[in-house]
Amino acid sequence: MTEEGAGRPERDPEAVSRFVEHFAAQLVAAGMPRMPARVFASLLVSDTGASTSAELGETLRISPAAVSGAVRYLDQQHLVSREREPGSRRERYRVHGDQWYEALTNREAVIRHWQDALREGVASVGPDTPAGLRLGETLAFFEFVEKEIETIMKRWRVHRDETFGGA
Amino acid sequence: MTEEGAGRPERDPEAVSRFVEHFAAQLVAAGMPRMPARVFASLLVSDTGASTSAELGETLRISPAAVSGAVRYLDQQHLVSREREPGSRRERYRVHGDQWYEALTNREAVIRHWQDALREGVASVGPDTPAGLRLGETLAFFEFVEKEIETIMKRWRVHRDETFGGA
DNA sequence: CTTAATCTTCACAAATTTATGAAGCAAGCG
DNA sequence: CGCTTGCTTCATAAATTTGTGAAGATTAAG
């Protein structure tokens, strides 16, 4: 076996770093600013799911200010939480384990905004015009999807428990 | 009735413009560059679902170059198609009616990239480590969603035909 | 084959975004 | 109590993105 007994040495820092950058690239493509994306990816691969500012700054080679800004963003998006270790001003940033990707789909407010904009459009051209019909159908689509997403997430939790839970 | 007979005068340009900007704002929030977003929104509210470069330039107050760039982007994303009116070098850009929002969810390649990145992550830390388990579960989530999206879209088409089709 | 109309490409200017160092604040430690 | 450690905020510098005007290419009409 690949040496056991003294901790857990088997982790190729280079490979991990490649993952961080590749995963962050996906987050960026999805609209997240670069720095928060890298910080988030780093937290995801950390063994405990949590890191200090200093750790993040060192592995990513960025300034404390950059870490601070990134964490503020992630906090606002409810993608990480902050923990204070009692008896220290060191803060610990934690990724919400299996819930972060649920947050990705929980864009309820976002979908609401789309719907609002579309309703405004229908009103502005009249519901019986060609444009009104086109916009109305799109609106119906968003309303449909909104409900279906809820269903999907329920089905996911069942599936997850079957796969990863006891059974 | 609000004057009939001479075309279709009932369309408040200001209200339409408001919709264009609000809807474009949502697209921008979703990651689309500003100019393509505005052009796309304009096409969506147009009565025929198609416009010429000149029309777009005038209503949005942007240069031909901006229109050109925006259309190229939208074309690459398969959100609009180009039509040439025969016997004219005027081009007509058309929004794919009821299919554009399906394209929004058809991010198959996108999901594939997420999965690739996550597999790389699992490999880099080992599948049995805490981080490996966390990444593995996320990967399973994406795989699950990928399949479910297909189902949703089928259900949507049925729902749409019931609501807007004959019956 | 020349002319006119339309779209596209290119180089540049403007605006926006991003990350940094330095200064400021808060909280535990001696 | 002051000192030290660590996070945050602010102003600034750098990099990226965005939209424009001008020149170039393409195609129909005369």
Side-chain angles (χ1 to χ4, degrees):
Chain A
M1 293 105 189
T2 358
E3 53 170 313
E4 312 251 323
R8 198 193 275 281
E10 43 171 327
R11 190 187 249 243
D12 176 0
E14 253 192 67
V16 170
S17 175
R18 259 197 305 280
F19 161 72
V20 168
E21 298 307 328
H22 287 169
F23 193 80
Q26 298 309 314
L27 288 164
V28 169
M32 187 183 291
R34 188 168 303 271
M35 201 52 52
R38 299 179 69 212
V39 167
F40 186 74
S42 283
L43 286 173
L44 257 197
V45 279
S46 74
D47 239 329
T48 59
S51 297
T52 64
S53 171
E55 288 172 330
L56 291 168
E58 197 192 350
T59 51
L60 295 175
R61 301 306 196 91
I62 58 179
S63 71
V67 175
S68 177
V71 168
R72 178 176 27 174
Y73 176 94
L74 293 170
D75 190 13
Q76 283 170 349
Q77 307 288 319
H78 304 290
L79 289 174
V80 306
S81 59
R82 299 151 176 267
E83 303 173 351
R84 286 214 206 92
E85 326 182 23
S88 167
R89 44 239 161 290
R90 213 165 213 163
E91 214 156 9
R92 208 154 243 303
Y93 311 119
R94 173 173 303 277
V95 56
H96 280 179
D98 61 335
Q99 292 182 339
W100 78 265
Y101 48 78
E102 297 211 15
L104 263 194
T105 62
N106 263 344
R107 317 281 273 196
E108 195 178 316
V110 175
I111 292 193
R112 197 60 54 86
H113 284 141
W114 284 83
Q115 293 176 354
D116 289 347
L118 285 165
R119 270 188 267 273
E120 182 188 16
V122 172
S124 75
V125 297
D128 301 327
T129 61
L133 293 172
R134 178 166 50 246
L135 295 174
E137 186 179 314
T138 302
L139 175 56
F141 172 75
F142 276 93
E143 288 170 344
F144 180 83
V145 164
E146 185 181 20
K147 271 184 296 200
E148 288 297 313
I149 283 182
E150 236 180 274
T151 308
I152 275 198
M153 293 313 292
K154 282 198 189 105
R155 287 165 53 72
W156 156 249
R157 290 183 201 103
V158 171
H159 177 75
R160 177 193 57 191
D161 293 346
E162 282 170 359
T163 308
F164 298 93
Chain B
M1 291 104 191
T2 357
E3 51 171 314
E4 312 250 323
R8 200 194 275 277
E10 43 172 327
R11 190 187 251 243
D12 177 0
E14 255 191 66
V16 171
S17 175
R18 258 197 306 280
F19 161 72
V20 168
E21 298 307 328
H22 287 168
F23 193 81
Q26 298 310 314
L27 288 164
V28 169
M32 187 183 290
R34 187 167 306 270
M35 201 53 55
R38 298 179 70 211
V39 167
F40 186 74
S42 283
L43 287 172
L44 256 196
V45 279
S46 73
D47 239 328
T48 59
S51 296
T52 64
S53 171
E55 287 171 329
L56 291 168
E58 197 191 350
T59 52
L60 295 175
R61 302 306 197 90
I62 58 179
S63 70
V67 175
S68 178
V71 168
R72 177 176 28 172
Y73 176 93
L74 293 170
D75 191 14
Q76 284 170 349
Q77 307 289 319
H78 304 289
L79 290 174
V80 307
S81 59
R82 299 151 177 267
E83 303 173 351
R84 287 216 206 92
E85 328 182 23
S88 166
R89 45 237 161 288
R90 211 165 216 161
E91 213 155 10
R92 206 154 246 299
Y93 311 119
R94 159 157 284 143
V95 56
H96 281 180
D98 63 333
Q99 291 183 340
W100 77 267
Y101 48 79
E102 297 210 15
L104 263 194
T105 62
N106 264 346
R107 317 282 271 196
E108 195 178 315
V110 175
I111 293 193
R112 198 59 53 85
H113 284 141
W114 284 83
Q115 293 176 354
D116 289 346
L118 285 166
R119 268 188 268 274
E120 182 188 15
V122 172
S124 75
V125 297
D128 300 327
T129 61
L133 292 172
R134 178 167 48 248
L135 295 175
E137 187 179 313
T138 302
L139 174 57
F141 173 75
F142 276 94
E143 287 169 344
F144 180 82
V145 164
E146 184 180 21
K147 270 183 296 199
E148 287 297 312
I149 283 182
E150 237 182 274
T151 307
I152 277 199
M153 292 314 292
K154 282 197 189 107
R155 286 165 54 71
W156 156 249
R157 289 184 201 103
V158 171
H159 177 76
R160 177 194 57 190
D161 293 346
E162 281 170 1
T163 309
F164 297 93

